[in-house]
Amino acid sequence: MLSIPRSSVLPVDAPAHPAMRKKPSVDAALLGYNAFAERNQPRYARYAQARLAREADVTAAVRATLSLARQRWDWLLLQPSLAADVWAELRRQVGEVVPQDVTEAATLYSSLPVTSADSALLCWRVGLTAGEAAELMGLEQPAVEAGLRVARRAHPHLAKGGAL
């Protein structure tokens, strides 16, 4: 195998002073965050719309969630499930705004474990598959499927295309 020695001379267009060079790891992390936000923002918004009445509240909840994720991105990258941590934050943001009225979504959240309620809302109202919901929430697909079974037993009228 031929080995070509690397030159210690910087390319002509590269800044000579180390402080002027960009850190590739910072750029890569920002790129990763941007891809994550671009992929998930529309689905986060659909979830928030299913739970919140006002569009301004939807926008604020999603924006706050993604802003917090950006601030903590380096820490999130070290966690076992980045998606689960960001999902928990979105659920918290939405939960702080949800009015205490009697809607089908409110019924789900008051009568079911949160994973079951999230699974039912994402699959039955938002229209995600169990696999898509699992990926969004940072869970394994069997956990979402189990959550759906719990929700179906508790609210069979909603599982059959009800007004959720």
Side-chain angles (χ1 to χ4, degrees):
M1 182 163 126
L2 291 175
S3 175
I4 300 173
R6 291 181 134 182
S7 172
S8 61
V9 178
L10 291 171
V12 175
D13 60 342
H17 193 275
M20 298 298 292
R21 294 185 214 146
K22 289 184 178 179
K23 294 181 180 177
S25 62
V26 171
D27 289 344
L30 183 58
L31 183 62
Y33 166 78
N34 288 338
F36 176 86
E38 185 176 326
R39 173 163 171 70
N40 291 310
Q41 185 277 333
R43 298 184 301 172
Y44 287 170
R46 288 170 45 206
Y47 165 79
Q49 286 167 341
R51 293 196 62 198
L52 301 172
R54 295 183 36 219
E55 190 62 34
D57 292 336
V58 169
T59 301
V62 173
R63 185 174 290 150
T65 299
L66 291 174
S67 176
L68 193 59
R70 174 63 189 104
Q71 292 169 18
R72 297 180 178 171
W73 191 249
D74 291 337
W75 178 81
L76 285 166
L77 288 173
L78 300 173
Q79 301 312 301
S81 179
L82 179 150
D85 290 335
V86 178
W87 180 258
E89 179 60 27
L90 176 64
R91 187 188 308 123
R92 190 186 71 72
Q93 291 288 337
V94 169
E96 287 183 358
V97 179
V98 172
Q100 300 302 321
D101 56 357
V102 182
T103 64
E104 303 292 2
T107 300
L108 283 177
Y109 284 88
S110 67
S111 64
L112 294 172
V114 71
T115 299
S116 294
D118 283 348
S119 298
L121 194 69
L122 288 172
C123 293
W124 300 344
R125 174 93 182 259
V126 175
L128 300 182
T129 66
E132 291 168 330
E135 183 264 328
L136 188 65
M137 293 190 295
L139 300 173
E140 297 294 326
Q141 185 171 335
V144 171
E145 291 167 349
L148 288 171
R149 284 192 297 277
V150 169
R152 194 173 292 114
R153 281 193 300 273
H155 301 286
H157 61 288
L158 296 177
K160 305 248 189 267
L164 182 66

